Amino acid sequence: MNQHRETYLKIENVSKIFGPRLSMGDRILRAAIRRGPPPSLTAVSGVSLTLAKGQTLGLVGESGCGKSTLGRVIAGIYPPTTGKVMLDGLALMEEGRKVTTAVQTVFQDPFASLDPRMKVGEAVAEGPVAHGIVPRSGARAHVAKWLSHAGLDPTLADRYPHQFSGGQRQRIAIARALAMQPKLLICDEPVASLDVSIQAQVINLFLELRRDLDLTCVFISHDLSVVRHVSDRVAVMYLGRIVELGETHQVFGRPSHPYTAALLDSVPRIAAEGEVLMEVKPISGEIPSPLNPPPGCHFAPRCPLATARCTAEIPSLRETAPGQRAACHHAESQLAEPERAGA
Amino acid sequence: MSPVLEVRDLRTEFFTAAGTLRAVNDVSFSLNEGEIIGLVGESGSGKSVTGFSLLGLIDAPGKITGGSVRLKGDELVGMAQPDLRRRRGRDIAMIFQDPIATLNPLLTIGQQMEMALAAHERLSPRASEDRCAEALERVGIPSARARLKAYPHEFSGGMRQRVAISIALLHRPAVIVADEPTTALDVSIQAQIVTEMKMLAREFGVAMIWISHDLAVVSGIAQRIAVMYAGRIVETGPAAQVLRQPRHPYTRGLLDSMPHATAPGQALRQIPGSMPSMMALPPGCAFAPRCAFASPACTSVPELTEAAGRSWRCFHPLDQPAQEGITS
Ligand SMILES: Nc1ncnc2c1ncn2[C@@H]1O[C@H](COP(=O)(O)OP(=O)(O)OP(=O)(O)O)[C@@H](O)[C@H]1O
Ligand SMILES: Nc1ncnc2c1ncn2[C@@H]1O[C@H](COP(=O)(O)OP(=O)(O)OP(=O)(O)O)[C@@H](O)[C@H]1O
Ligand SMILES: [Mg+2]
Ligand SMILES: [Mg+2]
């Protein structure tokens, strides 16, 4: 779409490794069952990508593949273990601290991110006042503006989070992120807990605000139909690595990584008039433990195209078609498959 | 063939301090051996409460206030709790949305399965272990016998859900109520479980009520669909027909709000408004305030209309295209 627009987000060789830090509950459980501490875990491994201004990147993959971790590194919530994130040519972090408010996040569970004892108006005003985006005297008007942008009645600012429905709470979370006037918005599963009719309202709000404010977005979801609907480009992750990256219509229409193809095959669809649907094909086997990932291509043990080379040599993310890249030794065989319907 | 489960005019109410809430309102459907029915609808429409009511799992301030649930001919509504407990798990079982909440983190998978088994059958430890291992194998867990010694946290989400399913299947119940069994799981694991459950229904003749708000998942597993709105079933019929040619405007609204119904990047069609509070339902059709077709007639409750294996409660049902031809 906006191929000639300037790059806004640039991620270079980002990795995130979590040490064996355990919660108290885990520690008690592990002591009870006599297990030592687990080894460190590579949640995100060597990710590089760029995103043009005004574009939305969809981030998909199975649970635990590192989507949220990558989102948090881009948002400056976690410092990366290696590599760096640049916004508009400037480093996002300096000496382990976030140095910009240009990136904000909307999380899946707005209950967890909204303080139950704080009126929603205060929650929306908190960040902008603290960062000097608005003076305290202007806070009320600022809150009213962003609540109405998010489709909420500004007079609701004096209510508490529990007085709102799930869909309304998600609007509040969006208003709170936007009140910081970000250039880049990270949405981590923003509609996962909502049912289809409320999901439609929140997606429409997102599409409208993105256009009006010319936002650049990273949209994380395991719902492929939602990602396909809102994204210009899509990155597919598997066990911490990006395995495919391309324009949305390319990735959904003609995937060049067997994992992308398998993921698409496992999505249930409602058959159109007169259409006979293929049976949903589950991916064989379980997703391996990230603590002990298989050698070479991590997907090889579940891959129908795998050969000896796949377990011996890590495939690099290489161009498979103009604008499309995949980390697969056999991408050409995958690309030779017929184009998928409705791409 | 007589149905294994027959639900007639089931009504469940909650008597709360704020007022009476009718969560299940004159719900009727039946289920044949090996049949899977999908129960769909927005959050709060009464799907889970319907499921709990079938197993007699409604606690105060809730109460089943009317109707009948016949399981293999026996009436469950009003059955004494000890008798009901004997049927539960053995003849009718439930799988909950969250397998983490179902399984105890401090007991091994094997211990939990053996407890479930001992509730209805007396077996030697040896025979009991055999049965549990066999049950795990049936839901596709490899090296099942060794896995019996594992703790729930050593299993992935998908495997834990499969354990919950295998526990529900231990006694080969005639009916399983599966409440959003895959909503918390990835598409890939969801696909595995849907495939396995279909196979179990086919092979063992287990009938299932599959509760979900995801129409696409339901379309892949259920032969029939019942659409629920504000406590009532507003439309039923064969899955493919209901999803392709809905007769109730609410069903149409649900289908239209799915992303695939609109071109990428375009605004999705949303159902205007939201579901009314079940404590203050509008008179007549509860969907009328959100419905583009509503007329003065809609202030009374629409009767159930039945034709050609389908049924709906609506004064203004959507047209059926001519080529489908209703023959009743
Ligand atoms: N703070 C942390 N400490 C240690 N390990 C972590 C931490 N956060 C995430 N992980 C691990 O990193 C891996 C990636 O997790 P992440 O939450 O990024 O996955 P995800 O793709 O967002 O999954 P989901 O779809 O379930 O949200 C997982 O194995 C997870 O257990
Ligand atoms: N124990 C209870 N006490 C009072 N009201 C209840 C109770 N359990 C459920 N309800 C109410 O009954 C109605 C139906 O709830 P139910 O859980 O069956 O909805 P659902 O269709 O399963 O929704 P979801 O998709 O969110 O799971 C809701 O209005 C709910 O608030
Ligand atoms: Mg996540
Ligand atoms: Mg429910």
Side-chain angles (χ1 to χ4, degrees):
Chain A
M1 229 172 269
N2 302 315
Q3 265 162 7
H4 304 294
R5 299 186 66 170
E6 69 214 83
T7 295
Y8 184 73
L9 169 68
K10 186 163 192 204
I11 303 171
E12 277 174 11
N13 195 28
V14 159
S15 297
K16 180 70 192 171
I17 300 170
F18 289 110
R21 262 210 348 245
L22 293 176
S23 73
M24 193 49 93
D26 284 342
R27 239 174 281 188
I28 292 168
L29 191 63
R30 293 195 91 89
I33 59 176
R34 296 194 184 80
R35 289 280 167 89
S40 61
L41 183 151
T42 305
V44 173
S45 174
V47 167
S48 300
L49 58 84
T50 60
L51 186 61
K53 194 164 170 20
Q55 285 214 314
T56 295
L57 174 77
L59 206 53
V60 302
E62 285 166 285
S63 183
C65 70
K67 305 182 294 297
S68 296
T69 304
L70 180 57
R72 281 159 187 252
V73 169
I74 300 172
I77 298 169
Y78 290 155
T81 310
T82 68
K84 63 179 175 187
V85 178
M86 312 278 288
L87 295 185
D88 222 1
L90 299 171
L92 170 75
M93 292 196 132
E94 271 163 24
E95 288 157 14
R97 291 192 50 230
K98 189 175 160 189
V99 292
T100 170
T101 59
V103 47
Q104 296 296 324
T105 315
V106 176
F107 295 102
Q108 166 172 358
D109 183 2
F111 238 153
S113 55
L114 291 170
D115 182 342
R117 289 153 308 178
M118 203 186 250
K119 290 179 183 168
V120 302
E122 292 167 10
V124 173
E126 198 183 18
V129 170
H131 285 93
I133 292 169
V134 286
R136 187 160 284 287
S137 59
R140 256 203 107 72
H142 192 72
V143 167
K145 173 179 156 192
W146 287 106
L147 284 181
S148 33
H149 263 305
L152 289 164
D153 180 353
T155 62
L156 299 178
D158 291 324
R159 299 212 185 161
Y160 291 91
H162 75 264
Q163 294 172 292
F164 293 89
S165 71
Q168 285 177 318
R169 284 199 295 267
Q170 202 54 283
R171 287 170 187 269
I172 295 166
I174 291 172
R176 189 171 67 156
L178 294 180
M180 293 294 288
Q181 303 185 339
K183 300 274 191 301
L184 174 68
L185 189 66
I186 316 282
C187 297
D188 191 353
E189 306 270 10
V191 295
S193 56
L194 307 173
D195 71 42
V196 59
S197 66
I198 298 168
Q199 175 178 299
Q201 295 170 13
V202 174
I203 289 173
N204 285 349
L205 173 67
F206 170 79
L207 293 174
E208 193 184 304
L209 291 170
R210 178 182 74 178
R211 186 189 60 225
D212 293 351
L213 304 171
D214 199 19
L215 287 170
T216 308
C217 301
V218 175
F219 196 100
I220 300 171
S221 178
H222 64 254
D223 187 333
L224 296 175
S225 64
V226 171
V227 166
R228 176 188 207 157
H229 194 79
V230 303
S231 309
D232 301 296
R233 292 181 359 113
V234 172
V236 182
M237 288 184 80
Y238 190 76
L239 278 188
R241 295 179 185 155
I242 289 191
V243 295
E244 176 147 20
L245 184 64
E247 303 282 314
T248 304
H249 67 91
Q250 293 176 317
V251 173
F252 281 88
R254 184 158 267 178
S256 57
H257 197 290
Y259 176 63
T260 313
L263 205 55
L264 293 174
D265 283 343
S266 58
V267 178
R269 274 199 311 130
I270 296 176
E273 187 71 62
E275 181 186 14
V276 181
L277 280 187
M278 280 188 320
E279 281 269 307
V280 163
K281 277 188 290 181
I283 308 179
S284 63
E286 292 274 337
I287 187 164
S289 163
L291 292 170
N292 187 17
C297 169
H298 291 340
F299 186 58
R302 302 169 79 187
C303 181
L305 303 182
T307 58
R309 185 177 172 203
C310 302
T311 47
E313 191 186 323
I314 299 173
S316 62
L317 193 63
R318 63 193 170 93
E319 183 148 282
T320 53
Q324 185 174 13
R325 287 189 289 157
C328 175
H329 296 307
H330 304 292
E332 285 66 29
S333 318
Q334 185 60 53
L335 269 173
E337 301 257 313
E339 176 138 357
R340 273 145 208 273
Chain B
M1 184 172 58
S2 65
V4 280
L5 184 76
E6 208 163 3
V7 182
R8 285 278 149 249
D9 303 324
L10 183 67
R11 190 174 272 205
T12 303
E13 294 174 288
F14 290 97
F15 301 94
T16 70
T20 301
L21 183 154
R22 192 170 291 167
V24 179
N25 198 351
D26 293 343
V27 160
S28 302
F29 64 91
S30 63
L31 206 54
N32 292 321
E33 198 180 295
E35 188 179 26
I36 305 179
I37 188 169
L39 188 58
V40 302
E42 275 168 286
S43 185
S45 55
K47 306 181 296 293
S48 296
V49 175
T50 302
F52 292 137
S53 302
L54 299 179
L55 280 93
L57 289 171
I58 300 292
D59 295 324
K63 194 175 185 307
I64 297 177
T65 53
S68 139
V69 175
R70 283 182 175 274
L71 178 65
K72 298 201 272 189
D74 298 338
E75 180 59 59
L76 298 186
V77 174
M79 189 182 260
Q81 273 300 329
D83 295 330
L84 205 50
R85 249 194 305 275
R86 223 164 293 133
R87 309 298 300 263
R88 219 185 280 143
R90 199 187 63 194
D91 295 326
I92 182 166
M94 189 150 177
I95 300 167
F96 300 92
Q97 171 163 357
D98 185 0
I100 298 150
T102 321
L103 298 173
N104 183 334
L106 297 174
L107 298 178
T108 64
I109 300 293
Q111 286 167 332
Q112 304 190 47
M113 294 187 75
E114 281 166 29
M115 274 162 57
L117 203 53
H120 299 290
E121 278 177 66
R122 281 196 180 282
L123 292 172
S124 70
R126 177 84 224 166
S128 174
E129 192 188 312
D130 288 347
R131 274 283 291 279
C132 295
E134 185 198 319
L136 280 189
E137 260 161 31
R138 211 157 51 208
V139 294
I141 293 183
S143 42
R145 196 170 293 271
R147 298 292 189 114
L148 287 172
K149 296 186 187 67
Y151 288 85
H153 76 98
E154 297 175 68
F155 277 20
S156 68
M159 281 164 77
R160 279 194 293 246
Q161 190 58 291
R162 277 189 245 172
V163 171
I165 292 167
S166 78
I167 291 177
L169 283 168
L170 269 179
H171 301 284
R172 299 265 172 91
V175 176
I176 289 183
V177 179
D179 191 359
E180 311 252 12
T182 60
T183 306
L185 305 174
D186 278 321
V187 279
S188 59
I189 298 162
Q190 176 176 293
Q192 289 173 5
I193 288 179
V194 164
T195 308
E196 279 156 20
M197 296 286 271
K198 275 164 87 166
M199 196 270 289
L200 293 166
R202 210 178 304 132
E203 229 158 85
F204 302 109
V206 185
M208 291 184 208
I209 298 157
W210 188 282
I211 298 174
S212 178
H213 61 248
D214 189 332
L215 296 167
V217 175
V218 169
S219 77
I221 187 162
Q223 287 103 29
R224 278 195 305 140
I225 284 186
V227 183
M228 217 169 166
Y229 187 76
R232 280 186 200 275
I233 290 183
V234 295
E235 169 156 21
T236 64
Q241 290 182 27
V242 171
L243 296 175
R244 269 179 228 161
Q245 304 291 341
R247 306 239 45 192
H248 200 287
Y250 176 61
T251 314
R252 169 91 276 160
L254 282 182
L255 288 162
D256 282 350
S257 48
M258 295 174 70
H260 81 100
T262 309
Q266 300 301 305
L268 300 174
R269 278 172 283 179
Q270 32 184 98
I271 307 176
S274 56
M275 202 172 70
S277 155
M278 299 242 259
M279 265 183 230
L281 290 179
C285 171
F287 187 60
R290 303 172 76 184
C291 182
F293 303 92
S295 73
C298 304
T299 50
S300 54
V301 177
E303 288 298 318
L304 195 71
T305 311
E306 288 179 86
R310 300 185 61 174
S311 72
W312 56 89
R313 274 180 193 276
C314 181
F315 290 112
H316 308 289
L318 302 169
D319 282 337
Q320 200 78 349
Q323 71 267 23
E324 287 250 342
I326 301 172
T327 46
S328 50

